[in-house]
Structures are given as structure tokens and as C-alpha cells.
Amino acid sequence: MSNVNQSRRRLFSRRKSNVIRPPWSKQDIEFTDICTRCDRCIEACETKIMIKGDGGFPEVNFTIDECTFCQKCVEVCPEPLFRDTSEQAWQLKANINDTCLAQQGIWCQSCKDACDPRAISFIPAIGKAPQPQIDTDICNGCGACVAPCPSNSITLFDRKKL
């Protein structure tokens, strides 16, 4: 395939993004097609986790704080960007990588302490620090566990995009 054809394919193909959009928002491609980048959702966010991302579109940044599912972003948006709020906000689930302090033998449970739904538990282990375990059936994707993690070991992923 020629370089020209590869460039055209990249230009016209739409990639799935790893960006986290506001809760209850429609699929990423539909979202960016409709969003006018008015910033009302960013201004309305009670925990200020929404930021102006790539292209000026709103993104969620859980390193700032958590989502309280207050629905203010949905209420202030003048465009049809959001699904029904009686549905689940999103399919985000927490994931702990191997840089976790507990996995390095250091006693830390800051993520567990921050998790209101109690989706994070720690399994006792003989001779080492208790190890974290996430119950993805309980995790609501609020992101409360991300900011308090001292080693930035927790990320949220969208189960629909796997």
C-alpha cells in the first residue's frame, strides 16, 4: 500500500479514544461531532474534574478528584450529548498496576479508604503487605481511588472499549 493511501486512510478513519468523557455522554465520536465546546459542563462540575482536553473538548481528569454523579454537566448542556441519567453513568472500572506500593511490599491502603462503594479490598498475605483487589461488579467508576494513590498506580478504563 502506498504512503498516500495510508495517509488518506488515517485521515478518514476514526480511532477510538482513551479519553474519558463526562458521565452519561454519548459515544466519543458522536460526542465530538455534536459538542460545541462551550465549556458549560466544565464550569458546572462540582468537583472540577472536567478539563478542556484535546481539541477543546471536555475530558474527565480523575487525578484532580472524583465524580459525584451530581448530573450538573448534563443539566447545563444545551446540546443532545447525554444519555438518560437513569442509566449507568459509564462503564469505567478501576485497575491497579504493578507500581502499587502494596505490591512493592509497602503497607498502603489509601485507595480502599477513598472508595465509598467499597469495591477495593485488601487480601492478607503472609510475610508481605496485604494485596489490593478490585470487585469490578461493585466499582462504579467514580475515580475516588485515583487521586489519593501516592504512586499513581490506579487508572480507570472503559470496559466497552476493550
Side-chain angles (χ1 to χ4, degrees):
M1 184 181 292
S2 73
N3 288 341
V4 173
N5 287 340
Q6 286 176 347
S7 295
R8 283 186 186 148
R9 181 176 289 166
R10 268 189 237 119
L11 177 66
F12 294 110
S13 70
R14 293 198 170 190
R15 294 179 281 138
K16 285 191 175 182
S17 171
N18 290 329
V19 168
I20 299 173
R21 298 288 178 212
W24 298 286
S25 60
K26 294 182 178 178
Q27 295 293 327
D28 197 48
I29 291 169
E30 188 175 1
F31 185 90
T32 55
D33 283 349
I34 299 171
C35 179
T36 62
R37 299 171 271 195
C38 69
D39 296 342
R40 290 182 188 162
C41 59
I42 293 171
E43 294 164 7
C45 181
E46 72 178 18
T47 56
K48 303 300 179 203
I49 62 170
M50 286 218 260
I51 61 168
K52 188 176 281 224
D54 193 29
F57 294 103
E59 297 177 7
V60 174
N61 181 344
F62 288 118
T63 63
I64 298 169
D65 206 344
E66 67 187 281
C67 180
T68 60
F69 306 109
C70 68
Q71 301 179 13
K72 290 180 182 178
C73 54
V74 177
E75 294 166 3
V76 300
C77 185
E79 303 300 329
L81 287 172
F82 295 93
R83 296 176 286 106
D84 185 350
T85 57
S86 65
E87 297 176 20
Q88 186 175 2
W90 44 39
Q91 291 292 314
L92 297 178
K93 301 297 175 183
N95 182 57
I96 301 174
N97 67 37
D98 59 4
T99 63
C100 171
L101 293 178
Q103 293 180 16
Q104 305 301 317
I106 300 168
W107 190 289
C108 178
Q109 296 187 2
S110 60
C111 57
K112 175 185 169 192
D113 296 339
C115 182
D116 282 340
R118 295 294 178 227
I120 303 173
S121 59
F122 278 76
I123 310 301
I126 297 173
K128 59 182 183 176
Q131 298 299 295
Q133 178 175 326
I134 299 175
D135 184 337
T136 56
D137 292 333
I138 298 173
C139 179
N140 64 10
C142 70
C145 56
V146 175
C149 179
S151 59
N152 300 317
S153 300
I154 303 176
T155 55
L156 287 154
F157 66 94
D158 189 337
R159 292 195 333 185
K160 290 187 298 187
K161 293 182 181 179
L162 290 179

